[in-house]
Amino acid sequence: MLTSVIVNAIRMGTIFLFGCVGEILTEKAGHLNLGIPGIMCIGATGGAVAVHLFGGKVSSPLLVLFAIIFTMLFAALAGFLYSFLTVTLQANQNVTGLTLTTFGIGFMKFFSKRIYDQKFFVSLSSAFKNLFGLEKNTNPFVQIFLSHGILVYIAIIVAIICAVFLNKSRRGLYLRSIGENPATADAVGINVSLYKYTFITLGSAIAGLGGLYYIMDRSGGTQIAEAPIDSFGWMAVALVIASMWKPLLAAFGSIVFGGLSILDAMLTTLPLDKQKIFAIFPYLLTVLVLIMTSVVKNKNNQPPASLGLSYFREER
Amino acid sequence: MNNKIALELRNITKRFGTKVVANKNVSLTLYKNEILSLLGENGSGKTTLMNMISGIYFPDEGEILIDGQPAVIASPKDAYRYKIGMIHQHFKLVDTFTAAENIILGNNEPYKLKVVNSRVKEIASKYGFDIDPQKKIHEMSVSEKQTVEIIKVLYRGADILILDEPTAVLTPQEIEKLFAVLRRMRNDGKAIIIITHKLNEVMEISDRVSVLRKGEYVGTVNTSEVSEKMLTEMMVGKKVDLKIDRVSVEIKKPLLEIRDLTVKSDVGTTSIKDVSFYIRGGEILGVAGITGCGQKELCEAIAGLRPIASGSIMHDGSSIVGMSTREIINRGISMSFIPEDRLGMGLAPSFSITDNMMLKTYGDGHGPFVDRKSARARASALIDKLSIVTPSTETPVRRLSGGNVQKILVGREIESGPNVIITAYPVRGLDINSSYQIYDILNEQKQKGVGILFVGEDLDVMLALCDKIMVLCHGEVMGVVHAAKTTKEEIGLMMTGSLDKSELKEYGKAKDSNLSEEEWKNAEKEMEE
């Protein structure tokens, strides 16, 4: 029982982890991208397009690869659009992000209806699941660590790479300085706009993978148009705060969030309305973390100082 | 002296929008092995000109020559390539990073802090800096931050250094240290431009002085051949009287009486301890002390912005402890505090001058609509009176230069017709002309019978302007002296705590207090309960 809870928590958490790491990179560049839920939908659509085009025509590993590339391309394009609006045109980040989310949800519904064939997608979903072929093994260790699809491992690897990049590398230092104080970064000769574009776009591409993971692995290809990816996206944004902008903490946090978000489904003995109450747990946790970080005013756990602010060099 | 030209500006012009011309046809020459002062009033375009050399702005017309070759400085990166480093007035540092991390930012060198730390220490010992490379910026004092800024540009091998008002936020001792460092750098072959308003500093540190007036170049002179008076005239364009008058006014009853006041700081330590003093109507009481000795907490306590730990504050015979800020303002006590960074306190940056004028009087109007008309009239009166440089009354405050912003803040406080004025560092960073306008306004208010608490930095000014001076050291009063009967040296000793005159007599209690001793005791008891 416990093993299956952990396994499901990890898998559920993977969706959040992709979105969260993507958003962390974006926020470290000083941009609050509330379009992440929509970008995850757009990413999922990209993956569905790849499956639709190549499914049955190429081998399974190639199909997974194409799906990943398409997902990242679609999501990156959305992120690029967001960058153009908020970096170059200095549009309000909140409004732009929320609009992008609304757009992304509609985009997914519109296109997936035209290309989605449930039988076809379900049959191809096995390519995304169970990387090592050990899903039937009942050993708890194997279940917890080796029974997942490839995207689960990619998510964790991406989180680790991001943590190392942000804390140990020169370019990571530059990126953080932009989120903290873009005028400073500019004055020492760092190309602020280039960094912002690069990491907002890259962050979006990573977030998009969360959508792909949901439709092809977690849900096993059973739903696209009605997939609640946007609500997972909001959880991912909440996880950024709960993990205090630290990718490694986000990896653990995603499992906690994953566990909390499947709680309602596990408590099947309770009446439905009482089950649903447990869905607020992840948000409750986020609020608690917010309160704690505000009370303990440690400078190292605060959001990037110029998060949400546009930067224009000649502003006085 | 080595007479090689390091930097030359030819006919530089820079406009902001179509209306504001920040620099017009400015030409300037900087030699190696020299310190050049750039002098000008607020809004005369000094910072804009320097920003063009450091690549923040790009000139609309004219050319820049470095080592005799035409140079195109389109970004800060280009400036670094030409070995130009600027130390900005508002520090450009990332608060959550360490000194070393800030120093290598944008350097494109390997992220190896050990190597960086040892190189930083090398530079520090060469020029006589004191720095811990592993300390985080938000834990540093203002002067430490400035050290990081200077080392940052030296680390990148800058040969031309530009310092924008580096002394505005330093104590006299820190200024001495900075000047020693600057001289060492000059003798090492660096070319240095320093922007400052303080004429005595110009005379002390620089070899030559270039003067700007309203964005135009006036001329360059050798420091040894001019006097402060001549420089002021070049700067202002007319003869000015450099004397501050102490107007004598008939003695009135105490307006504000404070006894045994104790106030805690934000982190819970005691910043003001058992302080007693009083201000009479028609009197300017100066408060001298090294920055951070409780001046801010004292001002905030009187204005009702900070709860007090113990003691009493009496205005016109009744206690104002526990009153809201609004009630205290309504009683006629106004406070204007100019913080170290000079921005952010008391004004809304994106509001126009008119709207800022209304911020404190919003409650006075009739009906639900704002009365912009009268506010606009008051705004333009203020602009005329203080000669504030602005395109119109509707220009957002953040578009104006620092000095002009400050004039609006101080002007608004005085305009509201208070009977007690608490003003801290009202001339911080202001040029001569504006400073004297502020002193004149304070004297005018004094003649009207207003009691003024003047928290200042420049002891020369305080000695000339104030009637009495109270000296603070670590939150305790070292004594109150008559400005006419004391010397700068005596106050200096009191500031550092080497001289304590507080025991000599009952300095903080007025003989003609509004309250009898019995009433004071009652007030004390009430506080304790």
Side-chain angles (χ1 to χ4, degrees):
Chain A
M1 171 66 186
L2 183 67
T3 313
S4 107
V5 171
I6 295 174
V7 167
N8 276 303
I10 292 172
R11 292 186 184 168
M12 198 64 201
T14 299
I15 311 170
F16 308 145
L17 186 54
F18 274 123
C20 178
V21 170
E23 178 73 4
I24 287 176
L25 282 181
T26 307
E27 293 197 10
K28 285 289 180 186
H31 281 240
L32 181 69
N33 188 353
L34 294 180
I36 285 291
I39 286 171
M40 287 167 76
C41 292
I42 294 171
T45 316
V49 168
V51 173
H52 173 72
L53 289 177
F54 302 108
K57 294 178 190 140
V58 295
S59 64
S60 295
L62 262 183
L63 177 66
V64 173
L65 182 68
F66 285 152
I68 290 175
I69 292 172
F70 266 65
T71 300
M72 292 184 79
L73 265 180
F74 271 59
L77 217 63
F80 189 81
L81 181 70
Y82 172 87
S83 312
F84 177 70
L85 287 167
T86 56
V87 180
T88 306
L89 301 184
Q90 318 247 332
N92 180 298
Q93 296 179 14
N94 296 344
V95 175
T96 311
L98 289 172
T99 311
L100 191 56
T101 288
T102 314
F103 171 76
I105 297 167
F107 184 85
M108 181 173 74
K109 288 201 165 135
F110 182 79
F111 281 100
S112 55
K113 281 224 172 86
R114 278 154 185 76
I115 57 171
Y116 181 57
D117 170 355
Q118 182 163 355
K119 237 169 127 188
F120 183 66
F121 270 68
V122 169
S123 71
L124 286 168
S125 72
S126 60
F128 292 83
K129 288 183 174 177
N130 197 9
L131 178 64
F132 302 110
L134 294 168
E135 199 170 21
K136 296 279 176 317
N137 193 316
T138 52
N139 181 326
F141 177 83
V142 173
Q143 274 289 310
I144 292 172
F145 292 102
L146 300 172
S147 71
H148 310 293
I150 183 168
L151 284 164
V152 175
Y153 302 102
I154 291 179
I156 291 166
I157 292 168
V158 166
I160 293 171
I161 292 175
C162 279
V164 173
F165 170 78
L166 284 172
N167 297 317
K168 301 283 173 202
S169 80
R170 186 174 74 224
R171 306 223 175 267
L173 184 75
Y174 293 5
L175 176 64
R176 281 190 288 140
S177 78
I178 289 170
E180 293 289 337
N181 192 338
T184 298
D186 196 16
V188 294
I190 296 171
N191 190 334
V192 174
S193 294
L194 181 68
Y195 266 80
K196 284 192 165 189
Y197 265 96
T198 307
F199 286 96
I200 293 168
T201 307
L202 182 67
S204 300
I206 291 170
L209 290 175
L212 173 67
Y213 172 79
Y214 181 76
I215 59 160
M216 292 315 290
D217 184 335
R218 181 72 190 158
S219 82
T222 55
Q223 51 173 321
I224 294 184
E226 300 312 320
I229 293 174
D230 52 312
S231 67
F232 298 144
W234 292 120
M235 300 269 279
V237 174
L239 181 58
V240 174
I241 301 164
S243 64
M244 296 177 291
W245 294 266
K246 295 182 172 74
L248 286 187
L249 215 54
F252 291 104
S254 72
I255 298 170
V256 176
F257 268 45
L260 289 173
S261 65
I262 54 172
L263 212 56
D264 56 332
M266 286 190 306
L267 299 168
T268 42
T269 48
L270 288 175
L272 195 66
D273 56 334
K274 293 216 171 80
Q275 276 179 33
K276 282 297 160 200
I277 264 202
F278 290 90
I280 66 165
F281 270 44
Y283 298 102
L284 218 55
L285 185 70
T286 306
V287 170
L288 278 178
V289 172
L290 260 180
I291 292 170
M292 268 159 54
T293 51
S294 311
V295 172
V296 185
K297 278 215 170 74
N298 186 336
K299 272 259 183 187
N300 300 319
N301 296 335
Q302 299 301 316
S306 63
L307 180 62
L309 308 173
S310 299
Y311 175 64
F312 175 52
R313 186 187 283 168
E314 299 205 0
E315 182 78 57
R316 345 208 300 160
Chain B
M1 199 169 102
N2 186 346
N3 263 350
K4 272 175 92 175
I5 293 175
L7 172 80
E8 202 179 340
L9 304 180
R10 282 186 194 159
N11 305 322
I12 299 283
T13 298
K14 174 77 187 172
R15 296 181 196 89
F16 289 110
T18 46
K19 278 184 194 160
V20 186
V21 183
N23 286 126
K24 195 173 160 194
N25 269 326
V26 177
S27 301
L28 205 71
T29 313
L30 176 70
Y31 296 99
K32 286 181 181 170
N33 287 83
E34 86 160 346
I35 299 177
L36 176 78
S37 279
L38 191 58
L39 200 59
E41 293 191 76
N42 296 119
S44 61
K46 303 178 300 280
T47 304
T48 309
L49 186 66
M50 292 302 110
N51 275 338
M52 280 188 279
I53 303 175
S54 60
I56 304 277
Y57 301 153
F58 194 76
D60 295 330
E61 286 163 34
E63 59 175 349
I64 300 173
L65 283 83
I66 289 160
D67 292 330
Q69 301 294 316
V72 179
I73 308 172
S75 73
K77 218 172 181 165
D78 290 343
Y80 277 115
R81 224 181 48 239
Y82 288 115
K83 304 202 167 200
I84 298 169
M86 176 144 174
I87 291 101
H88 295 270
Q89 187 182 356
H90 306 294
F91 300 136
K92 302 217 177 223
L93 296 169
V94 180
D95 264 356
T96 48
F97 287 8
T98 64
E101 283 174 333
N102 267 292
I103 286 166
I104 59 162
L105 208 55
N107 244 1
N108 287 322
E109 69 171 276
Y111 188 35
K112 285 185 186 139
L113 289 176
K114 261 191 195 152
V115 186
V116 182
N117 287 349
S118 66
R119 266 201 65 194
V120 166
K121 284 195 176 135
E122 200 180 297
I123 295 172
S125 65
K126 185 175 175 188
Y127 295 110
F129 288 111
D130 200 11
I131 190 179
D132 173 10
Q134 271 140 312
K135 201 168 173 185
K136 293 210 166 171
I137 302 297
H138 64 83
E139 295 164 344
M140 290 186 171
S141 72
V142 179
S143 108
E144 281 177 294
K145 288 180 192 173
Q146 188 178 60
T147 305
V148 176
E149 281 279 26
I150 297 174
I151 291 184
K152 192 164 91 181
V153 300
L154 290 175
Y155 189 93
R156 293 170 159 231
D159 287 331
I160 299 170
L161 280 92
I162 303 161
L163 295 99
D164 189 359
E165 290 189 39
T167 60
V169 293
L170 301 182
T171 65
Q173 288 80 0
E174 288 166 341
I175 292 173
E176 270 316 303
K177 253 177 151 176
L178 173 70
F179 282 0
V181 167
L182 290 183
R183 288 195 191 99
R184 244 166 271 158
M185 294 199 290
R186 172 187 61 191
N187 299 340
D188 194 42
K190 313 262 184 221
I192 299 168
I193 299 179
I194 176 170
I195 301 178
T196 171
H197 289 306
K198 298 181 190 164
L199 285 175
N200 56 339
E201 290 174 0
V202 172
M203 302 302 287
E204 188 186 339
I205 188 76
S206 63
D207 301 305
R208 291 189 309 142
V209 189
S210 290
V211 182
L212 293 183
R213 190 196 309 145
K214 291 187 179 137
E216 289 182 57
Y217 174 71
V218 178
T220 301
V221 288
N222 289 327
T223 314
S224 54
E225 294 162 12
V226 289
S227 67
E228 291 189 22
K229 203 165 168 1
M230 285 160 72
L231 286 177
T232 315
E233 283 169 19
M234 277 178 84
M235 203 163 84
V236 184
K238 59 178 184 227
K239 287 208 182 301
V240 256
D241 190 7
L242 272 188
K243 235 178 83 218
I244 308 172
D245 291 322
R246 179 166 36 226
V247 289
S248 48
V249 185
E250 176 196 354
I251 285 183
K252 295 211 176 78
K253 279 206 125 192
L255 260 177
L256 190 70
E257 293 177 88
I258 288 173
R259 283 205 191 169
D260 303 320
L261 181 69
T262 299
V263 184
K264 302 255 191 237
S265 73
D266 292 332
V267 285
T269 53
T270 304
S271 6
I272 286 286
K273 198 179 160 198
D274 292 334
V275 166
S276 304
F277 66 89
Y278 59 90
I279 308 170
R280 295 176 185 282
E283 174 181 72
I284 301 182
L285 176 69
V287 177
I290 296 165
T291 313
C293 273
Q295 295 96 325
K296 187 175 175 213
E297 286 78 6
L298 178 64
C299 295
E300 288 181 349
I302 299 173
L305 292 168
R306 182 180 286 274
I308 68 169
S310 65
S312 31
I313 306 174
M314 298 285 173
H315 177 250
D316 222 359
S318 52
S319 174
I320 57 166
V321 174
M323 280 190 181
S324 72
T325 312
R326 171 58 42 188
E327 285 169 312
I328 291 175
I329 291 172
N330 287 345
R331 287 187 69 102
I333 301 177
S334 103
M335 183 188 74
S336 56
F337 188 96
I338 311 293
E340 279 173 359
D341 62 5
R342 293 167 57 196
L343 298 166
M345 196 152 177
L347 294 174
S350 55
F351 277 24
S352 67
I353 303 174
T354 306
D355 289 356
N356 269 298
M357 292 298 293
M358 293 194 297
L359 280 184
K360 257 194 166 169
T361 54
Y362 64 90
D364 300 351
H366 302 285
F369 300 106
V370 291
D371 178 13
R372 268 224 175 67
K373 212 170 168 185
S374 74
R376 194 169 294 137
R378 283 185 287 143
S380 43
L382 198 65
I383 290 169
D384 286 344
K385 196 169 173 194
L386 301 183
S387 26
I388 293 165
V389 182
T390 170
S392 79
T393 53
E394 303 312 306
T395 310
V397 167
R398 71 182 148 82
R399 292 187 155 260
L400 307 179
S401 79
N404 285 312
V405 172
Q406 219 160 315
K407 283 189 202 169
I408 295 169
L409 177 59
V410 177
R412 185 190 68 194
E413 294 306 317
I414 287 164
E415 195 249 8
S416 65
N419 51 47
V420 174
I421 295 173
I422 316 285
T423 182
Y425 315 114
V427 297
R428 183 172 252 168
L430 285 190
D431 57 66
I432 300 258
N433 217 18
S434 317
S435 299
Y436 278 75
Q437 281 167 347
I438 302 261
Y439 302 145
D440 284 346
I441 294 169
L442 291 178
N443 267 331
E444 207 175 277
Q445 295 294 314
K446 176 181 164 184
Q447 275 167 313
K448 281 187 190 162
V450 176
I452 298 168
L453 185 76
F454 178 88
V455 181
E457 293 173 301
D458 192 332
L459 290 182
D460 291 315
V461 169
M462 291 177 76
L463 285 170
L465 181 70
C466 303
D467 297 290
K468 285 187 284 183
I469 297 173
M470 174 169 81
V471 187
L472 285 178
C473 176
H474 297 300
E476 290 183 62
V477 176
M478 288 290 117
V480 180
V481 291
H482 283 276
K485 293 181 200 159
T486 187
T487 60
K488 206 171 154 187
E489 286 68 33
E490 188 181 51
I491 294 178
L493 285 173
M494 289 165 82
M495 275 165 75
T496 52
S498 341
L499 181 65
D500 191 346
K501 295 185 94 178
S502 62
E503 305 292 322
L504 290 181
K505 59 174 182 177
E506 293 254 290
Y507 64 89
K509 292 181 184 170
K511 282 178 200 135
D512 53 348
S513 167
N514 288 307
L515 299 173
S516 66
E517 280 308 309
E518 208 162 299
E519 284 173 301
W520 275 109
K521 278 195 187 116
N522 286 339
E524 231 166 82
K525 261 186 209 151
E526 263 171 45
M527 261 311 287
E528 273 160 26
E529 282 157 18

